[in-house]
C-alpha cells in the first residue's frame, strides 16, 4: 500500500512565524502535491512537483513556497504565517502515468 | 474554464436506502472524472474514475457512478447505504492543460442514519 505521511496532524503557530509542513511518500512517485481544504471551497492546489527540484504553481501559491530536494519528500513553507492561512493542508502523491492520487492524513494548521 | 459543481452541501439517507451524490462538470473535450471520499480525520481516498468506455463505473466499497455526457453529470450512487458510508465526498475533473492537476468540487457531506 502507498503511504503518504505528514509531519504533524495539528499545528498552532503565531502570525509572522515561518512554518514548515513536511510530507513523505514511500512509493517512489514522481509527482507530489500540496492542497489546502476549506469548508465550502473543496480542495485547492497550492503547488505541485513533478520531479526533484522541479515545481509548478497551482491555483493559490501566494504566501507559500515549496521544496523538493529528495524524491520522497515535499515540503510546504509559509514564509510569514497569517491568520488567513488557517486551514487543513493535504499532501498527495501520484505515480507517473497513473490517475490515482494518494493523500496523506492532513495537517490542521491554526495561525493565531 | 473547467469546473466541477456539487450542488448539495449535505445528503441525508436512511441505512439500507439507495443514495445519490450529485456532480456536474464543465470542461472542453472529453472529461476525466473522479470521486474521492474523506472519512473523519483522514485524508482523501480514491473511490472510482471515468476515463472512457462504459458510462456506469464501479468502484470501491460498493459505490458506482454514472457518466452522462448530455447532462454533463457524474453522479455517485450506491444501492444500499451503510452508516459507515457517512463521510465527505468530492468529485473532481482532470484539468485539460495538465496530466496531473485535478479540479475538485466543494464536497458533499453524506449522513446515513441508522
Amino acid at each position: 500500500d502507498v503511504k503518504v505521511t505528514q509531519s504533524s496532524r495539528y499545528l498552532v503557530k503565531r502570525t509572522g512565524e515561518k512554518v514548515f509542513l513536511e510530507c513523505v511518500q514511500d512509493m517512489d512517485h514522481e509527482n507530489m502535491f500540496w492542497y489546502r481544504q476549506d469548508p465550502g471551497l473543496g480542495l485547492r492546489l497550492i503547488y505541485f512537483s513533478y520531479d526533484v527540484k522541479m515545481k509548478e504553481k497551482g491555483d493559490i501559491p501566494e504566501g507559500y513556497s515549496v521544496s523538493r530536494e529528495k524524491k520522497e519528500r515535499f515540503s510546504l513553507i509559509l514564509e510569514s504565517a497569517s491568520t488567513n492561512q488557517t486551514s487543513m493542508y493535504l499532501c498527495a502523491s501520484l505515480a507517473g502515468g497513473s490517475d490515482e492520487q494518494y493523500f496523506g492524513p492532513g495537517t490542521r494548521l491554526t495561525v493565531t | 474554464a473547467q469546473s466541477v459543481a456539487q450542488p448539495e452541501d449535505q445528503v441525508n439517507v436512511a441505512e439500507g436506502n439507495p443514495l445519490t451524490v450529485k456532480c456536474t462538470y464543465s470542461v472542453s473535450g472529453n472529461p476525466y472524472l473522479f470521486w474521492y471520499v474523506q472519512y473523519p480525520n483522514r485524508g482523501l481516498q480514491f473511490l472510482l474514475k471515468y476515463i472512457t468506455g462504459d458510462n456506469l463505473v464501479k468502484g470501491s466499497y460498493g459505490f458506482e457512478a454514472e457518466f452522462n455526457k448530455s447532462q454533463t453529470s457524474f453522479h455517485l450512487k450506491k444501492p444500499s447505504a451503510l452508516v459507515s458510508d457517512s463521510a465527505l465526498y468530492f468529485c473532481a475533473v482532470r484539468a485539460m492543460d495538465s496530466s496531473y492537476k485535478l479540479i475538485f468540487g466543494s464536497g458533499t457531506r453524506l449522513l446515513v442514519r441508522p
Side-chain angles (χ1 to χ4, degrees), chain A:
Chain A
D1 274 353
V2 175
K3 192 167 184 182
V4 180
T5 57
Q6 296 183 228
S7 51
S8 304
R9 294 300 303 274
Y10 300 94
L11 209 53
V12 180
K13 295 293 182 179
R14 294 193 179 275
T15 301
E17 279 193 83
K18 190 168 186 176
V19 181
F20 292 87
L21 302 182
E22 304 284 339
C23 175
V24 178
Q25 51 96 3
D26 66 358
M27 284 301 291
D28 203 37
H29 286 176
E30 292 84 353
N31 308 292
M32 297 186 74
F33 307 80
W34 275 106
Y35 296 90
R36 63 176 283 175
Q37 180 183 358
D38 299 289
L41 296 178
L43 276 71
R44 292 178 291 168
L45 183 64
I46 304 172
Y47 267 97
F48 71 98
S49 168
Y50 51 89
D51 202 349
V52 174
K53 298 188 185 294
M54 306 304 288
K55 61 185 179 185
E56 283 197 24
K57 293 180 180 179
D59 297 318
I60 51 165
E62 297 79 16
Y64 304 94
S65 62
V66 290
S67 172
R68 193 163 180 207
E69 296 297 318
K70 293 184 178 181
K71 192 174 186 179
E72 67 271 19
R73 188 179 298 270
F74 192 35
S75 302
L76 180 69
I77 303 154
L78 287 65
E79 294 289 343
S80 178
S82 63
T83 55
N84 63 12
Q85 292 177 310
T86 291
S87 186
M88 171 71 87
Y89 290 87
L90 294 172
C91 174
S93 72
L94 173 73
S98 174
D99 299 306
E100 182 181 341
Q101 292 190 21
Y102 292 85
F103 284 81
T107 296
R108 186 167 295 281
L109 173 68
T110 302
V111 183
T112 61

Side-chain angles (χ1 to χ4, degrees), chain B residues 4-19:
Chain B
V4 174
Q6 293 182 244
E8 302 155 316
D9 291 335
Q10 182 162 312
V11 170
N12 299 307
V13 65
E15 188 174 32
N17 283 0
L19 69 89

